[in-house]
């Protein structure tokens, strides 16, 4: 086994996630049309957001070659996949402050076809999602064993929009569940308001409000701050606020979270939560 591949495979045994090695310096686009990876399911918004939200840096690279790591040295390998050492050329650094050079290499898990071969990625472009390895200035660690996405125009547009939202001041933080929900009836029949308070990854404020006005359909909105929700302007699909809710809220109100005063109010709160989930819609993912 070539010494480079042997050393990377051995290092992998002590790593939880595959390591990526890079060379510090500059990242430039060659100015020619990129070669997209072979036909494959286009990554969904959630696929891209999951990776981008976890990565300290995101880069677009052109693959120069692949060398397979023996399965016996590829800890945690999933069935139907292989681990590969990828040699690549940096095309562009899309986010992060790392100094990427023109040449780099990294380990990634790829799906295998019926003949045990990976996708034909040589001379194709991909996105990689990674973080720096402390004490190893020439290495990176992928945020997941498969944290590489084939380049295509749809994915690039989606990725750039997500990165812009993540970097914006006051960007919606991660939602992990429902902390409390309460419906307060109004003075008129059919009038009332439901407040839903979310638990978040960093204990920041996040809530939704569903408002009922007699003779009108329910209106709702969300807030990711201490300010009141913008009722009547719910988050649009495939935005960061939508992703935080649609992809992480539970399918039902957790036991003990409904603090409405009477059975009718509790039922209305449950109905409003189901309505909110229906308005958000599904959160499809294609990554395993």
């Amino acid at each position: 086994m070539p010494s480079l591949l042997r050393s990377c495979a051995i290092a992998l045994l002590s790593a939880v996630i595959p390591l990526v090695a890079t060379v510090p310096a500059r990242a430039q686009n060659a100015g020619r049309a990129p070669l997209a990876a072979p036909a494959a399911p286009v990554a969904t918004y959630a696929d891209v957001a999951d990776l981008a939200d976890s990565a300290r840096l995101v880069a677009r690279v052109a693959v120069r070659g692949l060398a397979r790591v023996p399965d016996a040295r590829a800890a945690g390998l999933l069935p139907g996949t292989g681990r590969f050492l990828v040699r690549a050329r940096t095309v562009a650094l899309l986010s992060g402050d790392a100094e990427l050079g023109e040449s780099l290499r990294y380990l990634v898990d790829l799906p295998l076809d019926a003949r045990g071969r990976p996708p034909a990625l040589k001379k194709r472009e991909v996105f990689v999602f990674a973080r720096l390895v402390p004490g190893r200035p020439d290495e990176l660690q992928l945020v997941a064993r498969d944290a590489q996405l084939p380049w295509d125009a749809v994915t690039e547009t989606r990725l750039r929009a997500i990165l812009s939202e993540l970097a914006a001041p006051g960007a919606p933080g991660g939602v992990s569940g429902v902390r409390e929900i309460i419906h307060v009836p109004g003075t008129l029949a059919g009038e009332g308001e439901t407040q839903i308070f979310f638990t978040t990854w960093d204990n920041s404020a996040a809530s939704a409000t569903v408002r009922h006005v007699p003779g009108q359909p329910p209106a709702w909105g969300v807030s990711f701050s201490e300010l009141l929700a913008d009722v009547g302007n719910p988050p649009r699909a495939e935005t960061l606020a939508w992703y935080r809710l649609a992809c992480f809220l539970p399918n039902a109100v957790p036991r003990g979270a409904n603090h409405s005063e009477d059975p009718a109010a509790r039922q209305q709160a449950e109905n409003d939560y189901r309505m909110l989930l229906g308005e958000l819609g599904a959160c499809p993912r294609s990554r395993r």
Side-chain angles (χ1 to χ4, degrees):
M1 181 188 298
S3 60
L4 175 60
L5 180 56
R6 184 184 299 112
S7 62
C8 287
I10 292 174
L12 180 63
L13 294 177
S14 61
V16 177
I17 302 175
L19 297 184
V20 184
T22 71
V23 184
R26 61 207 172 275
Q28 295 183 0
N29 194 322
R32 51 188 172 78
L35 287 173
V42 174
T44 68
Y45 185 95
D47 291 332
V48 180
D50 289 343
L51 293 173
D53 195 29
S54 302
R56 298 295 298 272
L57 65 88
V58 180
R60 190 171 118 192
V61 305
V63 176
R64 286 174 165 164
L66 298 87
R68 186 165 181 178
V69 176
D71 289 355
R73 296 181 181 272
L77 194 64
L78 296 177
T81 66
R83 188 157 295 159
F84 293 84
L85 173 66
V86 179
R87 293 181 296 105
R89 172 180 59 82
T90 302
V91 176
L93 179 65
L94 301 184
S95 74
D97 54 6
E99 300 250 345
L100 294 184
E102 184 174 348
S103 297
L104 61 103
R105 66 186 189 271
Y106 58 91
L107 291 173
V108 66
D109 289 4
L110 297 172
L112 304 176
D113 64 16
R115 302 167 103 181
R117 297 180 302 188
L121 294 177
K122 189 173 182 179
K123 296 184 180 180
R124 307 290 177 173
E125 294 197 357
V126 297
F127 299 107
V128 290
F129 303 79
R131 63 176 69 94
L132 292 171
V133 175
R136 296 183 180 181
D138 62 342
E139 292 185 354
L140 298 174
Q141 188 176 50
L142 294 184
V143 298
R145 65 186 73 249
D146 64 340
Q148 169 184 285
L149 295 177
W151 180 92
D152 62 68
V154 172
T155 300
E156 172 140 13
T157 298
R158 187 171 274 157
L159 174 57
R160 288 185 179 275
I162 290 170
L163 292 175
S164 294
E165 282 205 80
L166 286 170
V175 169
S176 55
V178 174
R179 174 169 56 86
E180 180 180 342
I181 182 170
I182 182 169
H183 177 77
V184 178
T187 56
L188 301 177
E191 185 179 55
E193 191 169 276
T194 297
Q195 293 282 336
I196 307 168
F197 299 95
F198 304 119
T199 54
T200 58
W201 299 347
D202 60 359
N203 294 319
S204 59
S207 64
T209 300
V210 180
R211 186 170 297 154
H212 295 267
V213 176
Q216 298 181 21
W220 69 283
V222 299
S223 173
F224 286 91
S225 70
E226 298 292 348
L227 300 177
L228 296 176
D230 185 11
V231 176
N233 289 295
R236 291 181 294 106
E238 300 204 351
T239 60
L240 187 58
W242 169 87
Y243 164 77
R244 297 302 194 198
L245 301 178
C247 301
F248 296 96
L249 288 179
N251 291 328
V253 175
R255 183 180 302 228
N258 194 337
H259 295 280
S260 305
E261 287 190 357
D262 56 57
R266 286 194 291 273
Q267 185 59 57
Q268 185 61 62
E270 300 274 350
N271 293 344
D272 286 342
Y273 185 74
R274 284 194 294 272
M275 183 275 295
L276 182 147
L277 292 183
E279 292 277 316
L280 288 168
C283 172
R285 288 181 167 98
S286 63
R287 294 174 59 240
R288 288 200 279 175

